[in-house]
Amino acid sequence: MTDLTKPIDPEESLIEYPSVFPIKIMGPTHDAFVETIVGVVLQHDPTFHIDKLEVRPSSKGNYTGLTANVYAIHREQLDNLYRALSSHPMVKMVL
């Protein structure tokens, strides 16, 4: 089992830092969903701008899928962002 609290050696990481990293977020369609998620992302990537966000409604319009292209500077930043999004009450799934 992998210890997720232990820092990963940069040579073992599959991601090169810094880089643009896409994070997919899905949640029920809500008027404030996009604005709320952008606010969460900005807490972890102050350079993020709404132009870096792709929005896709589901076929029936019940859910909204987002792809946030964040500027990742290290793994801890991505882990913290993933945890913040995953635990948010408006979010159903983060990939």
Side-chain angles (χ1 to χ4, degrees):
M1 181 172 215
T2 305
D3 180 1
L4 297 178
T5 60
K6 180 182 166 194
I8 292 180
D9 184 328
E11 293 178 10
E12 294 178 22
S13 177
L14 299 176
I15 302 168
E16 290 186 33
Y17 297 99
S19 66
V20 175
F21 189 82
I23 296 180
K24 297 187 181 286
I25 307 118
M26 186 169 19
T29 298
H30 186 281
D31 290 341
F33 184 65
V34 171
E35 182 180 339
T36 300
I37 297 307
V38 168
V40 173
V41 172
L42 279 168
Q43 292 174 4
H44 299 274
D45 175 8
T47 69
F48 186 76
H49 188 272
I50 196 140
D51 290 345
K52 299 177 187 176
L53 185 72
E54 299 169 31
V55 181
R56 290 171 313 283
S58 67
S59 59
K60 293 183 181 179
N62 296 330
Y63 290 91
T64 300
L66 307 175
T67 301
N69 294 295
V70 300
Y71 185 67
I73 55 175
H74 51 73
R75 180 180 171 131
E76 183 180 10
Q77 174 201 22
L78 283 179
D79 289 347
N80 290 337
L81 176 54
Y82 181 84
R83 278 191 286 275
L85 290 167
S86 302
S87 64
H88 196 282
M90 294 179 91
V91 174
K92 291 291 181 193
M93 185 183 333
V94 181
L95 302 171

